[in-house]
Each structure stands twice: as C-alpha cells, then as structure tokens.
Amino acid sequence: MTERQATTTLWRPTGPEELDLVRALDWRAWPPRLPEQPIFYPVLDEEYAVRIARDWNVPHSGAGFVTRFEVDSAFLSRYPVRQVGGRTILELWVPAEELEEFNAHIVGRIEVVHAFA
C-alpha cells in the first residue's frame, strides 16, 4: 500500500497569454518567466486570486482566469508565505530561476476554476 504525498492547493490568477502557454505544456507546468518577471507568485487564497483575475487581468488583457493546482507540501516549505496586504492576501514568491524545479513538484494538472471577461 502506498502513501499519498501531502499536497498544498495553490491558485494562480492569469491572463489569456499565460493560459495558452500552460495549455501548450499540457496543463502540467508554468512557462518560464519573462526577463521583467523575476518572481512567480502563486497565491494561497482563492478569493484573492479571483480579485486579481477579475479586477486586474480583465482590464489589462481582456480576460482573466483563476487556476488551481496542487504542489508537494514538503517542497513548498522552502518558500515562506508572504502576507502582502490583508490577512487573506497571501503569496509564495518563487524565484524565476527555480520555476522549473517548482514545476517538477506539481502533482496532477493545472485546472481553470474561474473565467472572467
């Protein structure tokens, strides 16, 4: 009998361009960051992700999406939770150069749970 590894649910608000890149990666990884994006930041609260997708991505990109995915909890322990506003505004800051390793610890697929236009 095998034990199921502990995972943490993360959310990522995203626009249509990034979502197309995730689709191209078969919903299993996040694309490399652009030079002006030194940090990949998934969030720990679905409501916060919804606010970003709806209130920021839609005006800037014409659409916003909230994705949900699971990551190995033991691996995530290297990234401290950062409170960047109110008590539910929590993010992990993953340096761009560590994104490939982060992607290797995604369990299952990335899924779209909300879409806004």
Side-chain angles (χ1 to χ4, degrees):
M1 190 170 183
T2 60
E3 267 188 55
R4 185 169 178 214
Q5 77 186 89
T7 62
T8 299
T9 302
L10 298 174
W11 287 268
R12 169 90 176 150
T14 186
E17 290 179 11
E18 184 176 55
L19 193 66
D20 286 344
L21 296 171
V22 171
R23 184 180 296 112
L25 294 167
D26 196 29
W27 303 100
R28 295 188 183 277
W30 293 98
R33 302 291 82 198
L34 299 172
E36 66 272 14
Q37 299 171 321
I39 305 268
F40 172 76
Y41 65 96
V43 303
L44 283 79
D45 182 76
E46 184 177 10
E47 181 182 317
Y48 175 42
V50 165
R51 284 196 317 247
I52 295 170
R54 184 190 60 220
D55 300 344
W56 193 88
N57 290 110
V58 171
H60 287 86
S61 304
F65 304 91
V66 175
T67 61
R68 178 177 60 209
F69 58 105
E70 301 288 324
V71 180
D72 172 39
S73 296
F75 173 78
L76 283 183
S77 67
R78 69 171 60 184
Y79 302 106
V81 174
R82 303 200 184 241
Q83 187 173 358
V84 296
R87 76 179 166 78
T88 62
I89 302 178
L90 305 173
E91 302 174 346
L92 297 179
W93 292 1
V94 179
E97 61 272 12
E98 296 178 23
L99 186 55
E100 188 174 339
E101 185 179 9
F102 178 92
N103 282 335
H105 288 87
I106 292 175
V107 177
R109 291 181 180 234
I110 298 164
E111 59 183 326
V112 175
V113 293
H114 301 285
F116 303 96

